[in-house]
Amino acid sequence: MSVDLHLVPDTDPARPPANPLYDPADGLDRPDRPGPVPDPEVFTGRVGDTVRALDPTTEADPVGVLVNLLSAGGAVIGSGPFLWIGNDRHPAIIWALTVGATSAGRKGAASSTVRRLFAAAVPEFLATQTPTGLSSGEGLIEAVADPVTDPKTGKVSGGVMDKRLWVVESEYGVTMARSRREGASLGGILRQAWNGEDLGVMNREALRATAPHIAIIGHISPRELRAKMQDSEMAGGTYNRFLPVFVHRNLLLPDATGAPAELMDQLGEQWRTTLAAARRVGEVQLTDDAAQLWRSEVYPALSAGDDDDGPLAEFTARAAPYAKRVAMVYALLDGTDRIDRPHLSAAWALVRYARASAAHILGPAAQTTGDPNLDKLAAAVKAAGSSGLTQSRVQVMFKRYSAPWRSELTARLCQLPGYGAVQIPGEGRPQTIYLYAPADPD
């Protein structure tokens, strides 16, 4: 069978949704994007509204601004809100590595945009609790250390009472190099910090930090990440604490002067109120609707690659708990202590994007899209050859999942190079066939 590959008509669910923050539009100068594009579903709620409001004022990638907002928002909220995953207490801590080319990634622009917003919303926090320079595990503990009481005099000295930090590390490659030094404690301390555990080192008994709440954003280029990443580091578990997020300049704004002060003041007031309310929350739970989505679709999908190994699997090993953590922060920033379906759907879409980012960043070593289900479907379409894979066969392959979930999966398949869908006339409704036709060599 010889057909031209094309996406099926607009009425078919396999057609990808509109993505206003990335789609070409009149009056916008968008550079070509050399990597994955996030699902528009990630831009939900207050966080999404804020990204959309600020997007015309910066060349930063919208998803870069998004993860900075989630990370910084979780840091300001602090250790009060939490959710149980099994017997593990998970705080509202989000770590992300924004990975983009030095000249075109606009990693710093994304963090600067959020810094400016938080300077309007929580100026005291931004002035005192946003350090840089992750030089050692001991240094990180000192930034949130407990006060020390002299056993003889009873005098209390040093330490801090507020254990919240938002660390933006603009040269995360340097941090990676430091953590590989023999005897370095930084990697182990970071792993404890992501868990929200008390921090300490055995060789300095007085140096302890109880109930730390540390969020981190790291900036690094794809080349530097690949050069410094070693399998032993991945297996150690430090880097699967980070969501890898590919970023690229999204607009060309030669005369940009940033967001108007009035806009920042307005957004700052909204965020100040939201963050203050979120700090009073305790346990966060899923609504019945979100819990059903988690059990029927999200958890099975995120657990599909548990038996995989290799660099990508190590990088994304915490996808399932991270989806719930991110969903919690989305909910808190929407002013609620209940994770609803839109929050969980947005978090799931962001974790999928992180997987796709890792696959893109790691390159041929990953040999995957980052989504085990999408890999399975792509392999089946290739194996079907020129006859193609029918929609009914897709339903059999993924019968545990809902029809909307399968439609989203096939839509993402059609966005991969060489893949497409055609409709073949027949008795009754036309049959959708998925095909793979690699580009002819030049």
Side-chain angles (χ1 to χ4, degrees), residues 290 292-304 319-320 323-324 344-345 347-348 401 405:
Q292 175 59 28
L293 176 64
W294 174 260
R295 290 190 297 266
S296 64
E297 298 186 23
V298 180
Y299 185 73
L302 294 179
S303 302
K324 278 194 172 180
L344 183 57
S345 295
W348 184 18
Y401 301 98
W405 183 92

Side-chain angles (χ1 to χ4, degrees), residues 17 38-45 63 66 70 243 285-299 301-302 319-320 322-331 334 338-354 371 402 404-405 408 412:
D39 190 299
E41 204 164 21
V42 303
F43 301 105
T44 195
V63 76
L66 177 94
L70 292 170
L243 289 172
Q285 297 180 342
L286 277 69
T287 64
D288 290 344
D289 195 20
Q292 175 59 28
L293 176 64
W294 174 260
R295 290 190 297 266
S296 64
E297 298 186 23
V298 180
Y299 185 73
L302 294 179
Y322 236 136
K324 278 194 172 180
R325 271 200 190 197
V326 173
M328 172 171 60
V329 177
Y330 271 114
D334 268 356
R338 291 293 183 267
I339 298 170
D340 209 350
R341 177 179 283 260
H343 306 130
L344 183 57
S345 295
W348 184 18
L350 184 60
V351 169
R352 290 199 308 269
Y353 180 70
D371 182 336
S402 67
W405 183 92
E408 183 180 8
R412 289 191 285 128

Side-chain angles (χ1 to χ4, degrees), residues 3-67:
V3 295
D4 292 329
L5 291 185
H6 61 277
L7 289 178
V8 293
D10 289 349
T11 55
D12 193 281
R15 189 173 183 85
N19 203 342
L21 287 170
Y22 292 93
D23 290 341
D26 293 339
L28 297 180
D29 190 358
R30 295 204 192 281
D32 292 337
R33 188 176 184 85
V37 178
D39 190 299
E41 204 164 21
V42 303
F43 301 105
T44 195
R46 179 176 299 282
V47 180
D49 290 343
T50 302
V51 173
R52 281 185 287 272
L54 294 174
D55 183 60
T57 72
T58 177
E59 293 188 336
D61 195 324
V63 76
V65 177
L66 177 94
V67 295

Side-chain angles (χ1 to χ4, degrees), residues 60 84 115 123 140 147 158 161 178 192 196 201 259 288 368 374 406:
W84 289 108
R115 279 183 177 277
L140 182 61
M161 298 305 295
R178 287 170 178 157
Q192 290 177 281
V201 288
D288 290 344
T368 176
L374 187 55
R406 290 193 296 267

Side-chain angles (χ1 to χ4, degrees), residues 61-151:
D61 195 324
V63 76
V65 177
L66 177 94
V67 295
N68 273 268
L69 281 171
L70 292 170
S71 180
V76 174
I77 287 169
S79 59
F82 68 95
L83 59 82
W84 289 108
I85 302 178
N87 289 316
D88 295 321
R89 184 186 190 276
H90 281 255
I93 293 175
I94 306 298
W95 293 5
L97 276 181
T98 52
V99 188
T102 300
S103 60
R106 295 299 188 266
K107 304 178 290 291
S111 294
S112 295
T113 298
V114 173
R115 279 183 177 277
R116 189 176 170 204
L117 170 61
F118 277 54
V122 283
E124 301 86 0
F125 176 89
L126 193 74
T128 61
Q129 290 160 271
T130 56
T132 60
L134 288 172
S135 59
S136 68
E138 291 83 353
L140 182 61
I141 297 174
E142 286 177 351
V144 289
D146 297 339
V148 177
T149 302
D150 189 304

Side-chain angles (χ1 to χ4, degrees), residues 168-342:
V168 178
E169 193 56 71
S170 60
E171 298 292 341
Y172 201 77
V174 176
T175 303
M176 292 176 70
R178 287 170 178 157
S179 68
R180 287 187 0 228
R181 294 173 184 165
E182 184 176 355
S185 61
L186 182 57
I189 296 300
L190 286 174
R191 291 190 286 275
Q192 290 177 281
W194 185 84
N195 295 333
E197 297 174 0
D198 294 349
L199 306 180
V201 288
M202 294 180 66
N203 59 347
R204 294 182 61 182
E205 185 176 347
L207 185 60
R208 291 189 56 81
T210 56
H213 190 82
I214 303 169
I216 302 176
I217 290 285
H219 301 168
I220 194 168
S221 71
R223 179 178 298 179
E224 189 173 22
L225 180 61
R226 287 191 296 267
K228 293 186 180 296
M229 189 65 70
Q230 297 176 355
D231 289 347
S232 60
E233 293 175 318
M234 287 187 180
T238 301
Y239 298 110
N240 61 35
R241 265 78 172 178
F242 286 87
L243 289 172
V245 177
F246 171 77
V247 293
H248 188 74
R249 177 170 50 195
N250 194 51
L251 287 173
L252 297 175
L253 301 173
D255 300 315
T257 57
E262 309 84 64
L263 175 61
M264 281 300 185
D265 289 342
Q266 178 185 0
L267 292 173
E269 181 62 31
Q270 295 170 0
W271 275 77
R272 183 182 306 114
T273 302
T274 296
L275 293 168
R279 284 180 54 74
R280 297 191 289 270
V281 172
E283 183 177 358
V284 177
Q285 297 180 342
L286 277 69
T287 64
D288 290 344
D289 195 20
Q292 175 59 28
L293 176 64
W294 174 260
R295 290 190 297 266
S296 64
E297 298 186 23
V298 180
Y299 185 73
L302 294 179
S303 302
D306 281 353
D307 294 331
D308 295 344
D309 55 15
L312 183 63
E314 294 287 0
F315 217 112
T316 59
R318 297 181 185 273
Y322 236 136
K324 278 194 172 180
R325 271 200 190 197
V326 173
M328 172 171 60
V329 177
Y330 271 114
L332 292 167
L333 296 178
D334 268 356
T336 177
D337 62 355
R338 291 293 183 267
I339 298 170
D340 209 350
R341 177 179 283 260

